[in-house]
Amino acid sequence: MQATAAAFLARPLPRLRRIGGWGPDVPAVRGGVIALPPRLRGSRCSISLSIGAGAGAGGDREFSYAEHVPVFPRYRIRDPYKLLGVDRDASEEEIRSARNFLIQQYAGHEPSEEAIEGAYEKIIMKSYQQRKKTKINLKTKLKKRVEESPSWVKALIGYFEVPSMDIISRRLFFFAFIAGWSIATSAENGPAFQLAISLFSCIYFLNEKMKNLLRASSTGFGILVGGWIIGSLLVPLVPTFIIPPSWSLELLTSLVAYIFLFLGSTFLK
């Protein structure tokens, strides 16, 4: 091993071969490696790349965009109305429009977006709670008025009740069908048959609640007579240009009677 190393060190260095002649500025080749002239081998320089420097114009634009995201100036305000810039009596549509406009203006800044969304939700929730309290207050006031009313008013109100919306819609559809049937056949004959069906239906509905056929029959017949009388008094007061020429006085009076039969069979106890 030592003999081999000594033989290697004893070998003469390869001679330099000039490319393109001889001169101080012409590089030499030693063992296939180009040796630079001494004046070009003086100092070494290094190039350091900063982030975004080599990215070109696109990198600069991305960096400037991240720095110049618009910030909502009122996002720290606690009052939701002042934060959104709306009045306290503004409508729900105005509040929604203000929220959508601000979200578009300051998109990209997360604290601004969260503040705008939070203010909008607070206002909507407060409006819902106020409507709910107002509805409860109206019911309470109405109940209090009924309790403070005279005895005859209490007795009159005691004859009425409000059923479920399912019952109201079904009764309304039934009497509307009878009214449409009467209008469709008004040119052929009068609405006597349809009135009879409406009267019997009203008696049937009343008997389900009263459990007394005689009382239900007398009540239903009284409703029909009362509706017919009121209809005969109100119909002549209606302007003629509103009423179709084919509708007779008897038909119009029967339509008013159908309304009374519907109300009586639905809301009477």
Side-chain angles (χ1 to χ4, degrees):
M1 178 70 69
Q2 293 179 355
T4 304
F8 177 79
L9 294 176
R11 292 174 58 187
L13 294 176
R15 298 182 61 186
L16 297 179
R17 181 170 53 87
R18 301 288 180 176
I19 300 176
W22 293 90
D25 296 333
V26 179
V29 177
R30 176 183 294 167
V33 179
I34 299 175
L36 295 177
R39 70 182 187 86
L40 296 180
R41 285 182 278 157
S43 61
R44 296 183 179 182
C45 61
S46 62
I47 301 175
S48 62
L49 298 177
S50 61
I51 297 175
D60 294 340
R61 284 198 298 269
E62 291 178 359
F63 182 73
S64 62
Y65 175 77
E67 284 188 344
H68 296 85
V69 172
V71 178
F72 186 41
R74 300 192 302 271
Y75 79 97
R76 295 184 182 274
I77 297 178
R78 294 182 177 274
D79 190 349
Y81 294 94
K82 292 182 179 179
L83 191 144
L84 292 183
V86 296
D87 298 331
R88 294 186 177 275
D89 56 349
S91 64
E92 188 173 343
E93 184 65 28
E94 294 174 344
I95 297 171
R96 188 181 298 108
S97 299
R99 173 253 183 194
N100 294 338
F101 174 77
L102 293 175
I103 285 292
Q104 293 177 359
Q105 285 288 109
Y106 300 98
H109 188 253
E110 187 174 352
S112 300
E113 294 179 353
E114 291 179 355
I116 294 168
E117 290 288 354
Y120 174 74
E121 292 176 358
K122 287 180 182 179
I123 294 175
I124 295 300
M125 184 60 65
K126 186 177 180 181
S127 176
Y128 170 75
Q129 292 175 354
Q130 288 178 350
R131 288 198 301 267
K132 189 175 181 180
K133 289 181 180 179
T134 303
K135 188 181 294 184
I136 295 174
N137 291 337
L138 288 175
K139 291 182 179 179
T140 305
K141 289 180 180 179
L142 182 60
K143 187 176 180 180
K144 187 177 180 180
R145 288 285 182 87
V146 172
E147 292 176 353
E148 295 176 354
S149 59
S151 58
W152 65 272
V153 176
K154 293 181 181 179
L156 182 62
I157 295 175
Y159 286 105
F160 298 93
E161 67 176 359
V162 180
S164 63
M165 288 302 300
D166 185 41
I167 295 176
I168 294 174
S169 59
R170 283 187 293 176
R171 302 276 171 84
L172 180 61
F173 176 78
F174 175 77
F175 284 99
F177 172 76
I178 296 295
W181 184 14
S182 301
I183 294 172
T185 59
S186 61
E188 301 174 3
N189 47 27
F193 182 67
Q194 290 84 354
L195 279 171
I197 295 177
S198 300
L199 176 60
F200 292 141
S201 301
C202 180
I203 293 173
Y204 174 78
F205 294 144
L206 291 172
N207 187 48
E208 285 186 342
K209 293 184 288 186
M210 296 179 179
K211 306 301 180 182
N212 190 332
L213 183 59
L214 180 60
R215 183 187 171 193
S217 301
S218 59
T219 303
F221 187 75
I223 293 172
L224 175 62
V225 173
W228 190 270
I229 293 174
I230 294 175
S232 61
L233 296 176
L234 293 178
V235 169
L237 302 178
V238 180
T240 56
F241 65 88
I242 299 177
I243 304 172
S246 60
W247 290 16
S248 61
L249 179 62
E250 184 181 7
L251 174 62
L252 294 171
T253 307
S254 64
L255 295 179
V256 177
Y258 295 147
I259 296 174
F260 276 79
L261 290 170
F262 160 70
L263 295 175
S265 63
T266 306
F267 298 102
L268 277 179
K269 283 187 178 180

